[in-house]
Amino acid sequence: MSDTITLKENREFRRAYSRGRSYVSPDLVTYIVKNNTNNLRIGITTGKKIGKAVERNRSRRIIRAAFSQLKGSLRPGYDIVFVARGKTPYRKSTDILCSMKKHLMDAKLLGD
């Protein structure tokens, strides 16, 4: 499998929001949409509602840490956008990992 690529452009995120399938839990929202490449691409967003910069950075860090444990077992060819929610900065990465696993299994991207 090829390496994970980070989504950076606004249009890539907008495409995931409009065309993607969403999975929601109290601490994480996941949008998944098929892309035309054979790469797995991810993006992480944290809005101002999450809190100040410290909380937003912590949210991104724990989402990244949870994803790093799963990325080897995911199917390529998808864009995945993780959106932090209000509870995210106060959770541990293991809690986020559980939510993330559930979302990815529901989307049939994670074979477990």
Side-chain angles (χ1 to χ4, degrees):
M1 185 178 109
S2 57
D3 205 20
T4 308
I5 297 171
T6 306
L7 296 177
K8 291 187 175 74
E9 297 200 15
N10 189 13
R11 65 183 163 83
E12 297 170 330
F13 284 93
R14 281 201 322 262
R15 182 175 167 272
Y17 297 144
S18 63
R19 296 196 191 145
R21 182 123 168 70
S22 64
Y23 302 88
V24 181
S25 62
D27 47 16
L28 188 71
V29 180
T30 307
Y31 291 91
I32 299 173
V33 64
K34 194 153 181 51
N35 65 31
N36 295 329
T37 66
N38 198 24
N39 297 320
L40 184 64
R41 305 187 314 173
I42 73 152
I44 299 172
T45 58
T46 51
K48 293 260 179 148
K49 286 183 184 176
I50 304 303
K52 298 200 184 286
V54 172
E55 287 88 8
R56 294 196 305 267
N57 288 332
R58 176 173 163 70
S59 298
R60 281 191 288 272
R61 221 172 29 248
I62 60 177
I63 290 171
R64 241 183 266 116
F67 181 77
S68 69
Q69 296 179 4
L70 294 175
K71 72 178 174 187
S73 55
L74 291 173
R75 290 183 19 214
Y78 289 88
D79 290 350
I80 304 171
V81 175
F82 297 110
V83 181
R85 298 191 82 183
K87 294 182 177 183
T88 308
Y90 308 107
R91 301 271 200 227
K92 293 193 179 307
S93 65
T94 51
D95 300 333
I96 301 296
L97 179 65
C98 289
S99 299
M100 198 178 281
K101 254 187 194 172
K102 185 179 180 330
H103 294 177
L104 296 170
M105 284 171 74
D106 289 349
K108 295 177 178 50
L109 286 187
L110 187 66
D112 227 11

